[in-house]
Amino acid sequence: MVAALLVAPAPRLSAAEPASPVALELVVCSRETLERWRFEIEIDGQSQVDRWGLAMTRLFDFVDRDGDGALDRTEAARLPHPHSLRQTLWSRFVAQAASPAWEKFDADEDGRIDRREMSRGYERLGLSGVVVAVGSPPETERLTAALLEQLQLAPGQLLDEHSWSAAAERLLTLDRNGDELISPGELLPHARYPGASATALLTPPREVESSSEAAARTYAAASVTSTAETDPLPLVLLPRDARDIAWCGELMRRLDRNGDEQLARDEIPLAARRFRQFQQLDRDGDRRLAADELAAWRDFPADTRWILRVGNRDEKAFEIEQEIAREDTRVDARHGFTRLAPLWMRVQIGDSALSADWRRGRGQLLEQFAEVAEEGAVATEQLAAHPKLTDLKTLHSIADRDGDRRLAREELVAWLDALDHVITAQTLFSLLDHRRGLFELLDADYNGGLSAAELRCSWRRIESAGCVVDGRIRQNRLPRQLRSTVSRGLPFNHLASAVQTGPAWFRAMDRNGDGRLSASEFLGPRPTFARFDHDGDNVISPLEAGGD
């Protein structure tokens, strides 16, 4: 963890200066807190920002048929639709040349699109290397209700550690399959957990023109709300272009209580140690922040910086650094976890089948081409005569680089090479919003089940979360649980897997995969189990297993 004093912000970019894309940044925004989190993603040891820049260059070079460094309308018509390129994360590799309106890309209206305009145009349309998708598991509230019911606490009973622990111990009787975990399905019959995928696209707030005569600018946030309309997702995704300040309007909308379109000191939930930062942002000294003053916040170091590594990892999968330590913030760099009242966030690196799917999909396209190509090329009319070659038909308008209505093998390979850069430079940031779930709070290892050890420690967990008030659990004080998976494609699983350590015999006996060996899982005689169980807690840890 890094604790440091903030320094004066760097100078803002002028409108004429080119802006370099920045890493993924999220603002945690609620009535209780305001923080900026920065996620720096590495793919196979390389910066994802750099890899995405190279992918955009390769795509531009492919479409720029005459190589003059700019796209005219004919060339730009072959740009693949951003939705098609995003869908490669779901192993759908046949992009369509259905580019959006010209004005989405030609920002300076000079009748030409350069590489930067193309990249920024795609970004405005939701394609920027990191796709952030959100989902909301459907059973959270019902699981909380079922858990409270099964605890069988007497009406009006005030909680203390003894009464809670006794009630939590009774939950173990629900383990019907003998895996020593209380699963959601054992609390709530037929419950699927987490039961949702992250499918709703989260994009930065965007500036739109109002319909008023003054054409005043208003701000629309392309964010996702939970099932409760009054409980919006407490995150704002910032644009990669640091000059785009539409996000300031979204923060104003959420935090400006008196409606003066400025943020006073008491309207911004900043930690006391960051008062100096507020003073630096308040350039005119009026003790309020206008949108342009708030925009300079991005010049300061992020409050929390995450380094996430996907692909071939020789180093640890993630690191977390905290710029300013807060009393209500805890970070755990070993497990990708941070607590910031009222929000708990877990990030994990996930595996996917994207690489294998892409190798197979590329091979199939080349095989289809070889079946129908004559003299190394295939004409549009030939493809029309083959009803099964729909993928090649779809690709024809993009891959036919010289526009002669004949797709040569060299053109197809060149397109697949350009697409390869896009596929291998994209990552999916899947965010599941479990809202204020009690089950998720107690599931400390995030594997989707409650173990005996977790139930024994559950009192300390709910007490430290601040949701026990006057001897009662206050559901509105449960922390918001956000669980994220960063992967190169659609992840296999949103649940966490225990790190498999210890000798081979230990891992083989650990049937439920929780990283601990209970007496019922141990296949040897009881005296041998007792010899390993040095602390007498009736479980063998990996450390104890390796000590004999």
Side-chain angles (χ1 to χ4, degrees):
M1 181 182 297
V2 175
L5 292 175
L6 289 174
V7 297
R12 293 290 294 168
L13 291 168
S14 69
E17 291 178 296
S20 299
V22 299
L24 173 67
E25 290 192 342
L26 292 170
V27 170
V28 184
C29 178
S30 70
R31 295 294 185 185
E32 295 86 1
T33 189
L34 183 68
E35 284 205 3
R36 197 172 94 252
W37 291 353
R38 178 183 177 92
F39 297 85
E40 298 178 10
I41 299 175
E42 296 179 2
I43 303 175
D44 296 335
Q46 296 179 313
S47 164
Q48 189 273 336
V49 171
D50 293 342
R51 288 186 66 135
W52 184 250
L54 176 61
M56 290 291 97
T57 297
R58 294 299 176 89
L59 177 59
F60 182 88
D61 290 344
F62 178 83
V63 179
D64 182 18
R65 185 170 60 190
D66 57 14
D68 66 349
L71 306 181
D72 58 27
R73 289 182 179 270
T74 300
E75 291 170 325
R78 293 175 46 248
L79 284 173
H81 197 280
H83 176 74
S84 296
L85 294 181
R86 280 200 307 269
Q87 289 299 301
T88 60
L89 288 168
W90 281 262
S91 297
R92 299 169 186 170
F93 306 124
V94 183
Q96 295 183 342
S99 58
W102 172 268
E103 57 270 16
K104 295 291 185 181
F105 290 95
D106 185 19
D108 59 8
E109 300 181 352
D110 67 348
R112 294 157 55 88
I113 298 173
D114 61 24
R115 189 194 65 80
R116 185 178 294 276
E117 285 179 314
M118 185 197 76
S119 181
R120 291 189 64 192
Y122 273 131
E123 181 188 346
R124 286 192 292 270
L125 295 165
L127 183 75
S128 59
V130 183
V131 175
V132 183
V134 181
S136 186
E139 304 289 6
T140 299
E141 295 173 1
R142 294 179 62 206
L143 268 178
T144 295
L147 194 52
L148 290 173
E149 181 181 355
Q150 291 293 341
L151 286 168
Q152 299 177 353
L153 297 170
Q157 178 181 356
L158 298 181
L159 292 176
D160 56 23
E161 184 172 5
H162 175 74
S163 61
W164 174 268
S165 298
E169 190 73 21
R170 291 196 296 269
L171 288 176
L172 296 175
T173 61
L174 299 176
D175 180 22
R176 292 188 291 273
N177 62 5
D179 66 351
E180 300 181 352
L181 294 173
I182 307 303
S183 68
E186 289 168 326
L187 285 167
L188 195 63
H190 311 299
R192 298 182 61 186
Y193 192 82
S197 296
T199 56
L201 184 66
L202 182 68
T203 60
R206 61 186 181 272
E207 191 177 90
V208 297
E209 293 288 348
S210 73
S211 57
S212 67
E213 292 182 359
R217 291 193 177 275
T218 57
Y219 296 91
S223 59
V224 177
T225 57
S226 67
T227 53
E229 291 298 325
T230 59
D231 194 19
L233 187 71
L235 297 176
V236 175
L237 176 63
L238 299 187
R240 289 182 59 187
D241 186 346
R243 295 176 302 180
D244 185 345
I245 65 170
W247 59 273
C248 298
E250 173 62 12
L251 296 192
M252 292 282 182
R253 186 184 68 81
R254 296 194 187 197
L255 300 176
D256 178 21
R257 294 192 294 273
N258 62 12
D260 65 352
E261 298 184 359
Q262 298 192 75
L263 294 181
R265 176 66 183 87
D266 60 357
E267 291 177 318
I268 303 179
L270 300 175
R273 293 181 60 183
R274 290 171 57 188
F275 179 66
R276 178 169 171 250
Q277 186 183 95
F278 180 90
Q279 291 177 308
Q280 290 176 302
L281 294 174
D282 182 20
R283 294 193 302 268
D284 58 11
D286 66 351
R287 299 184 181 181
R288 296 179 299 174
L289 299 184
D292 61 333
E293 292 175 318
L294 179 61
W297 186 27
R298 294 192 79 175
D299 295 326
F300 289 89
D303 299 284
T304 302
R305 173 174 174 254
W306 307 63
I307 301 175
L308 309 173
R309 299 183 176 95
V310 300
N312 299 322
R313 299 187 297 269
D314 295 327
E315 302 178 81
K316 52 188 174 182
F318 35 70
E319 298 176 26
I320 308 175
E321 295 178 354
Q322 190 178 357
E323 182 65 23
I324 292 185
R326 288 177 43 154
E327 293 182 358
D328 60 349
T329 305
R330 300 179 186 177
V331 300
D332 184 344
R334 295 170 301 168
H335 302 102
F337 174 72
T338 186
R339 301 182 189 180
L340 173 63
L343 180 70
W344 288 17
M345 177 84 153
R346 160 77 185 234
V347 179
Q348 68 178 13
I349 307 299
D351 295 322
S352 77
L354 180 63
S355 295
D357 289 347
W358 168 233
R359 287 194 300 269
R360 183 167 52 252
R362 178 181 175 125
Q364 289 173 348
L365 287 169
L366 290 173
E367 288 175 4
Q368 289 182 16
F369 180 87
E371 290 179 7
V372 295
E374 297 178 3
E375 300 179 356
V378 57
T380 305
E381 295 76 11
Q382 290 177 274
L383 288 175
H386 292 269
K388 295 183 179 180
L389 301 181
T390 55
D391 289 346
L392 280 180
K393 292 178 189 176
T394 304
L395 282 178
H396 194 281
S397 57
I398 291 179
D400 180 18
R401 192 166 186 266
D402 59 13
D404 66 351
R405 296 180 59 82
R406 286 176 58 81
L407 180 61
R409 189 180 191 283
E410 292 77 10
E411 290 176 318
L412 177 59
V413 170
W415 163 246
L416 295 177
D417 288 345
L419 185 59
D420 178 78
H421 280 84
V422 173
I423 291 172
T424 57
Q426 276 198 109
T427 50
L428 181 63
F429 193 98
S430 303
L431 180 63
L432 293 186
D433 177 15
H434 288 268
R435 301 185 298 281
R436 303 180 187 277
L438 179 59
F439 181 91
E440 288 75 17
L441 174 62
L442 303 186
D443 183 16
D445 59 8
Y446 303 96
N447 68 345
L450 303 181
S451 66
E454 286 172 328
L455 291 174
R456 281 195 294 269
C457 298
S458 59
W459 173 258
R460 291 198 299 273
R461 197 160 174 85
I462 63 171
E463 195 175 37
S464 67
C467 51
V468 179
V469 180
D470 298 329
R472 302 181 189 279
I473 289 185
R474 306 296 184 188
Q475 293 190 46
N476 63 345
R477 299 287 296 272
L478 291 168
R480 189 73 169 261
Q481 300 277 331
L482 299 178
R483 301 186 180 181
S484 302
T485 304
V486 180
S487 54
R488 301 185 81 162
L490 193 65
F492 289 132
N493 200 335
H494 290 288
L495 298 177
S497 300
V499 178
Q500 296 297 309
T501 58
W505 64 264
F506 175 88
R507 299 195 302 272
M509 292 186 190
D510 183 18
R511 295 194 303 272
N512 62 14
D514 65 352
R516 296 157 63 90
L517 205 59
S518 67
S520 62
E521 290 176 315
F522 189 73
L523 300 180
R526 182 68 188 186
T528 304
F529 179 89
R531 192 169 74 249
F532 281 107
D533 183 17
H534 302 305
D535 57 9
D537 64 350
N538 209 36
V539 292
I540 301 173
S541 68
L543 182 62
E544 290 172 325
D548 190 25

PDB file of all heavy atoms in Angstrom, residues 250-272:
ATOM      1  N   GLU A 250     -22.531  14.575 -14.628  1.00  0.00           N
ATOM      2  CA  GLU A 250     -23.180  13.459 -13.943  1.00  0.00           C
ATOM      3  C   GLU A 250     -22.944  13.532 -12.438  1.00  0.00           C
ATOM      4  O   GLU A 250     -23.842  13.273 -11.638  1.00  0.00           O
ATOM      5  CB  GLU A 250     -22.668  12.134 -14.519  1.00  0.00           C
ATOM      6  CG  GLU A 250     -23.139  10.895 -13.767  1.00  0.00           C
ATOM      7  CD  GLU A 250     -24.644  10.703 -13.781  1.00  0.00           C
ATOM      8  OE1 GLU A 250     -25.346  11.393 -14.552  1.00  0.00           O
ATOM      9  OE2 GLU A 250     -25.125   9.859 -13.014  1.00  0.00           O
ATOM     10  N   LEU A 251     -21.724  13.883 -12.026  1.00  0.00           N
ATOM     11  CA  LEU A 251     -21.465  14.034 -10.592  1.00  0.00           C
ATOM     12  C   LEU A 251     -22.278  15.190 -10.019  1.00  0.00           C
ATOM     13  O   LEU A 251     -22.768  15.113  -8.886  1.00  0.00           O
ATOM     14  CB  LEU A 251     -19.973  14.250 -10.335  1.00  0.00           C
ATOM     15  CG  LEU A 251     -19.035  13.104 -10.707  1.00  0.00           C
ATOM     16  CD1 LEU A 251     -17.645  13.340 -10.117  1.00  0.00           C
ATOM     17  CD2 LEU A 251     -19.563  11.758 -10.243  1.00  0.00           C
ATOM     18  N   MET A 252     -22.407  16.266 -10.795  1.00  0.00           N
ATOM     19  CA  MET A 252     -23.253  17.365 -10.346  1.00  0.00           C
ATOM     20  C   MET A 252     -24.683  16.880 -10.114  1.00  0.00           C
ATOM     21  O   MET A 252     -25.324  17.200  -9.112  1.00  0.00           O
ATOM     22  CB  MET A 252     -23.254  18.486 -11.399  1.00  0.00           C
ATOM     23  CG  MET A 252     -21.936  19.210 -11.565  1.00  0.00           C
ATOM     24  SD  MET A 252     -21.641  20.412 -10.268  1.00  0.00           S
ATOM     25  CE  MET A 252     -20.051  21.079 -10.821  1.00  0.00           C
ATOM     26  N   ARG A 253     -25.183  16.104 -11.062  1.00  0.00           N
ATOM     27  CA  ARG A 253     -26.565  15.611 -10.945  1.00  0.00           C
ATOM     28  C   ARG A 253     -26.763  14.788  -9.688  1.00  0.00           C
ATOM     29  O   ARG A 253     -27.798  14.860  -9.031  1.00  0.00           O
ATOM     30  CB  ARG A 253     -26.920  14.781 -12.184  1.00  0.00           C
ATOM     31  CG  ARG A 253     -28.369  14.321 -12.247  1.00  0.00           C
ATOM     32  CD  ARG A 253     -28.623  13.418 -13.438  1.00  0.00           C
ATOM     33  NE  ARG A 253     -27.949  12.139 -13.293  1.00  0.00           N
ATOM     34  CZ  ARG A 253     -28.429  11.125 -12.568  1.00  0.00           C
ATOM     35  NH1 ARG A 253     -29.570  11.257 -11.912  1.00  0.00           N
ATOM     36  NH2 ARG A 253     -27.779   9.987 -12.505  1.00  0.00           N
ATOM     37  N   ARG A 254     -25.747  14.014  -9.312  1.00  0.00           N
ATOM     38  CA  ARG A 254     -25.881  13.123  -8.157  1.00  0.00           C
ATOM     39  C   ARG A 254     -25.635  13.843  -6.830  1.00  0.00           C
ATOM     40  O   ARG A 254     -26.221  13.461  -5.808  1.00  0.00           O
ATOM     41  CB  ARG A 254     -24.907  11.963  -8.278  1.00  0.00           C
ATOM     42  CG  ARG A 254     -25.171  11.048  -9.468  1.00  0.00           C
ATOM     43  CD  ARG A 254     -24.406   9.758  -9.322  1.00  0.00           C
ATOM     44  NE  ARG A 254     -24.498   8.914 -10.512  1.00  0.00           N
ATOM     45  CZ  ARG A 254     -24.206   7.620 -10.531  1.00  0.00           C
ATOM     46  NH1 ARG A 254     -23.798   7.017  -9.423  1.00  0.00           N
ATOM     47  NH2 ARG A 254     -24.304   6.929 -11.648  1.00  0.00           N
ATOM     48  N   LEU A 255     -24.766  14.851  -6.819  1.00  0.00           N
ATOM     49  CA  LEU A 255     -24.301  15.405  -5.546  1.00  0.00           C
ATOM     50  C   LEU A 255     -24.797  16.821  -5.265  1.00  0.00           C
ATOM     51  O   LEU A 255     -24.781  17.250  -4.099  1.00  0.00           O
ATOM     52  CB  LEU A 255     -22.767  15.396  -5.514  1.00  0.00           C
ATOM     53  CG  LEU A 255     -22.088  14.026  -5.654  1.00  0.00           C
ATOM     54  CD1 LEU A 255     -20.576  14.191  -5.709  1.00  0.00           C
ATOM     55  CD2 LEU A 255     -22.475  13.100  -4.508  1.00  0.00           C
ATOM     56  N   ASP A 256     -25.214  17.553  -6.277  1.00  0.00           N
ATOM     57  CA  ASP A 256     -25.594  18.955  -6.103  1.00  0.00           C
ATOM     58  C   ASP A 256     -26.979  19.036  -5.460  1.00  0.00           C
ATOM     59  O   ASP A 256     -28.003  19.014  -6.136  1.00  0.00           O
ATOM     60  CB  ASP A 256     -25.567  19.664  -7.459  1.00  0.00           C
ATOM     61  CG  ASP A 256     -25.998  21.119  -7.358  1.00  0.00           C
ATOM     62  OD1 ASP A 256     -25.922  21.681  -6.243  1.00  0.00           O
ATOM     63  OD2 ASP A 256     -26.407  21.690  -8.386  1.00  0.00           O
ATOM     64  N   ARG A 257     -27.003  19.168  -4.140  1.00  0.00           N
ATOM     65  CA  ARG A 257     -28.276  19.123  -3.423  1.00  0.00           C
ATOM     66  C   ARG A 257     -29.081  20.414  -3.562  1.00  0.00           C
ATOM     67  O   ARG A 257     -30.310  20.385  -3.522  1.00  0.00           O
ATOM     68  CB  ARG A 257     -28.030  18.818  -1.939  1.00  0.00           C
ATOM     69  CG  ARG A 257     -27.466  17.424  -1.683  1.00  0.00           C
ATOM     70  CD  ARG A 257     -27.528  17.074  -0.207  1.00  0.00           C
ATOM     71  NE  ARG A 257     -26.658  17.917   0.604  1.00  0.00           N
ATOM     72  CZ  ARG A 257     -25.382  17.659   0.840  1.00  0.00           C
ATOM     73  NH1 ARG A 257     -24.819  16.579   0.320  1.00  0.00           N
ATOM     74  NH2 ARG A 257     -24.671  18.462   1.611  1.00  0.00           N
ATOM     75  N   ASN A 258     -28.421  21.555  -3.678  1.00  0.00           N
ATOM     76  CA  ASN A 258     -29.175  22.812  -3.742  1.00  0.00           C
ATOM     77  C   ASN A 258     -29.456  23.283  -5.160  1.00  0.00           C
ATOM     78  O   ASN A 258     -30.065  24.330  -5.364  1.00  0.00           O
ATOM     79  CB  ASN A 258     -28.449  23.920  -2.962  1.00  0.00           C
ATOM     80  CG  ASN A 258     -27.072  24.232  -3.548  1.00  0.00           C
ATOM     81  OD1 ASN A 258     -26.738  23.787  -4.643  1.00  0.00           O
ATOM     82  ND2 ASN A 258     -26.275  24.992  -2.806  1.00  0.00           N
ATOM     83  N   GLY A 259     -28.988  22.525  -6.168  1.00  0.00           N
ATOM     84  CA  GLY A 259     -29.332  22.822  -7.544  1.00  0.00           C
ATOM     85  C   GLY A 259     -28.677  24.045  -8.144  1.00  0.00           C
ATOM     86  O   GLY A 259     -29.186  24.590  -9.134  1.00  0.00           O
ATOM     87  N   ASP A 260     -27.541  24.503  -7.592  1.00  0.00           N
ATOM     88  CA  ASP A 260     -26.884  25.692  -8.138  1.00  0.00           C
ATOM     89  C   ASP A 260     -25.835  25.351  -9.187  1.00  0.00           C
ATOM     90  O   ASP A 260     -25.090  26.223  -9.630  1.00  0.00           O
ATOM     91  CB  ASP A 260     -26.247  26.522  -7.023  1.00  0.00           C
ATOM     92  CG  ASP A 260     -25.102  25.787  -6.322  1.00  0.00           C
ATOM     93  OD1 ASP A 260     -24.905  24.579  -6.599  1.00  0.00           O
ATOM     94  OD2 ASP A 260     -24.420  26.413  -5.489  1.00  0.00           O
ATOM     95  N   GLU A 261     -25.774  24.079  -9.608  1.00  0.00           N
ATOM     96  CA  GLU A 261     -24.851  23.604 -10.636  1.00  0.00           C
ATOM     97  C   GLU A 261     -23.392  23.790 -10.225  1.00  0.00           C
ATOM     98  O   GLU A 261     -22.505  23.914 -11.066  1.00  0.00           O
ATOM     99  CB  GLU A 261     -25.129  24.296 -11.984  1.00  0.00           C
ATOM    100  CG  GLU A 261     -26.521  23.997 -12.521  1.00  0.00           C
ATOM    101  CD  GLU A 261     -26.745  24.594 -13.893  1.00  0.00           C
ATOM    102  OE1 GLU A 261     -25.824  25.253 -14.401  1.00  0.00           O
ATOM    103  OE2 GLU A 261     -27.838  24.389 -14.455  1.00  0.00           O
ATOM    104  N   GLN A 262     -23.148  23.806  -8.936  1.00  0.00           N
ATOM    105  CA  GLN A 262     -21.807  23.807  -8.389  1.00  0.00           C
ATOM    106  C   GLN A 262     -21.800  22.918  -7.151  1.00  0.00           C
ATOM    107  O   GLN A 262     -22.849  22.655  -6.566  1.00  0.00           O
ATOM    108  CB  GLN A 262     -21.349  25.224  -8.032  1.00  0.00           C
ATOM    109  CG  GLN A 262     -21.269  26.166  -9.224  1.00  0.00           C
ATOM    110  CD  GLN A 262     -20.549  27.451  -8.880  1.00  0.00           C
ATOM    111  OE1 GLN A 262     -19.327  27.484  -8.752  1.00  0.00           O
ATOM    112  NE2 GLN A 262     -21.305  28.533  -8.732  1.00  0.00           N
ATOM    113  N   LEU A 263     -20.626  22.460  -6.776  1.00  0.00           N
ATOM    114  CA  LEU A 263     -20.516  21.583  -5.613  1.00  0.00           C
ATOM    115  C   LEU A 263     -19.802  22.307  -4.490  1.00  0.00           C
ATOM    116  O   LEU A 263     -18.622  22.671  -4.605  1.00  0.00           O
ATOM    117  CB  LEU A 263     -19.752  20.300  -5.979  1.00  0.00           C
ATOM    118  CG  LEU A 263     -20.440  19.370  -6.980  1.00  0.00           C
ATOM    119  CD1 LEU A 263     -19.585  18.134  -7.227  1.00  0.00           C
ATOM    120  CD2 LEU A 263     -21.825  18.974  -6.505  1.00  0.00           C
ATOM    121  N   ALA A 264     -20.538  22.538  -3.399  1.00  0.00           N
ATOM    122  CA  ALA A 264     -19.942  23.127  -2.208  1.00  0.00           C
ATOM    123  C   ALA A 264     -19.178  22.056  -1.440  1.00  0.00           C
ATOM    124  O   ALA A 264     -19.359  20.854  -1.667  1.00  0.00           O
ATOM    125  CB  ALA A 264     -21.022  23.754  -1.336  1.00  0.00           C
ATOM    126  N   ARG A 265     -18.353  22.503  -0.522  1.00  0.00           N
ATOM    127  CA  ARG A 265     -17.526  21.559   0.247  1.00  0.00           C
ATOM    128  C   ARG A 265     -18.381  20.532   0.971  1.00  0.00           C
ATOM    129  O   ARG A 265     -18.044  19.353   1.010  1.00  0.00           O
ATOM    130  CB  ARG A 265     -16.649  22.351   1.247  1.00  0.00           C
ATOM    131  CG  ARG A 265     -15.805  21.481   2.176  1.00  0.00           C
ATOM    132  CD  ARG A 265     -14.749  20.723   1.397  1.00  0.00           C
ATOM    133  NE  ARG A 265     -13.980  19.840   2.260  1.00  0.00           N
ATOM    134  CZ  ARG A 265     -14.319  18.606   2.567  1.00  0.00           C
ATOM    135  NH1 ARG A 265     -15.446  18.093   2.094  1.00  0.00           N
ATOM    136  NH2 ARG A 265     -13.560  17.862   3.343  1.00  0.00           N
ATOM    137  N   ASP A 266     -19.527  20.954   1.525  1.00  0.00           N
ATOM    138  CA  ASP A 266     -20.348  19.994   2.273  1.00  0.00           C
ATOM    139  C   ASP A 266     -21.174  19.093   1.371  1.00  0.00           C
ATOM    140  O   ASP A 266     -21.850  18.181   1.844  1.00  0.00           O
ATOM    141  CB  ASP A 266     -21.261  20.723   3.261  1.00  0.00           C
ATOM    142  CG  ASP A 266     -22.217  21.689   2.572  1.00  0.00           C
ATOM    143  OD1 ASP A 266     -22.137  21.828   1.332  1.00  0.00           O
ATOM    144  OD2 ASP A 266     -23.042  22.303   3.267  1.00  0.00           O
ATOM    145  N   GLU A 267     -21.149  19.331   0.048  1.00  0.00           N
ATOM    146  CA  GLU A 267     -21.848  18.453  -0.886  1.00  0.00           C
ATOM    147  C   GLU A 267     -20.934  17.371  -1.450  1.00  0.00           C
ATOM    148  O   GLU A 267     -21.405  16.456  -2.116  1.00  0.00           O
ATOM    149  CB  GLU A 267     -22.412  19.273  -2.054  1.00  0.00           C
ATOM    150  CG  GLU A 267     -23.552  20.192  -1.653  1.00  0.00           C
ATOM    151  CD  GLU A 267     -24.030  21.045  -2.810  1.00  0.00           C
ATOM    152  OE1 GLU A 267     -23.185  21.562  -3.565  1.00  0.00           O
ATOM    153  OE2 GLU A 267     -25.265  21.216  -2.953  1.00  0.00           O
ATOM    154  N   ILE A 268     -19.643  17.467  -1.194  1.00  0.00           N
ATOM    155  CA  ILE A 268     -18.686  16.498  -1.710  1.00  0.00           C
ATOM    156  C   ILE A 268     -18.193  15.636  -0.561  1.00  0.00           C
ATOM    157  O   ILE A 268     -17.534  16.127   0.357  1.00  0.00           O
ATOM    158  CB  ILE A 268     -17.485  17.195  -2.376  1.00  0.00           C
ATOM    159  CG1 ILE A 268     -17.958  18.126  -3.487  1.00  0.00           C
ATOM    160  CG2 ILE A 268     -16.518  16.166  -2.951  1.00  0.00           C
ATOM    161  CD1 ILE A 268     -16.852  18.879  -4.176  1.00  0.00           C
ATOM    162  N   PRO A 269     -18.513  14.350  -0.557  1.00  0.00           N
ATOM    163  CA  PRO A 269     -18.106  13.467   0.547  1.00  0.00           C
ATOM    164  C   PRO A 269     -16.638  13.069   0.453  1.00  0.00           C
ATOM    165  O   PRO A 269     -16.291  11.932   0.150  1.00  0.00           O
ATOM    166  CB  PRO A 269     -19.039  12.265   0.380  1.00  0.00           C
ATOM    167  CG  PRO A 269     -19.347  12.222  -1.079  1.00  0.00           C
ATOM    168  CD  PRO A 269     -19.338  13.648  -1.544  1.00  0.00           C
ATOM    169  N   LEU A 270     -15.746  14.026   0.689  1.00  0.00           N
ATOM    170  CA  LEU A 270     -14.314  13.759   0.662  1.00  0.00           C
ATOM    171  C   LEU A 270     -13.804  13.547   2.084  1.00  0.00           C
ATOM    172  O   LEU A 270     -14.302  14.139   3.037  1.00  0.00           O
ATOM    173  CB  LEU A 270     -13.554  14.931   0.031  1.00  0.00           C
ATOM    174  CG  LEU A 270     -13.907  15.287  -1.416  1.00  0.00           C
ATOM    175  CD1 LEU A 270     -13.153  16.537  -1.830  1.00  0.00           C
ATOM    176  CD2 LEU A 270     -13.573  14.147  -2.344  1.00  0.00           C
ATOM    177  N   ALA A 271     -12.787  12.706   2.210  1.00  0.00           N
ATOM    178  CA  ALA A 271     -12.161  12.514   3.506  1.00  0.00           C
ATOM    179  C   ALA A 271     -11.514  13.825   3.955  1.00  0.00           C
ATOM    180  O   ALA A 271     -11.094  14.656   3.153  1.00  0.00           O
ATOM    181  CB  ALA A 271     -11.109  11.399   3.427  1.00  0.00           C
ATOM    182  N   ALA A 272     -11.423  13.998   5.282  1.00  0.00           N
ATOM    183  CA  ALA A 272     -10.878  15.238   5.824  1.00  0.00           C
ATOM    184  C   ALA A 272      -9.470  15.516   5.326  1.00  0.00           C
ATOM    185  O   ALA A 272      -9.083  16.660   5.097  1.00  0.00           O
ATOM    186  CB  ALA A 272     -10.900  15.185   7.350  1.00  0.00           C
TER     187      ALA A 272
END
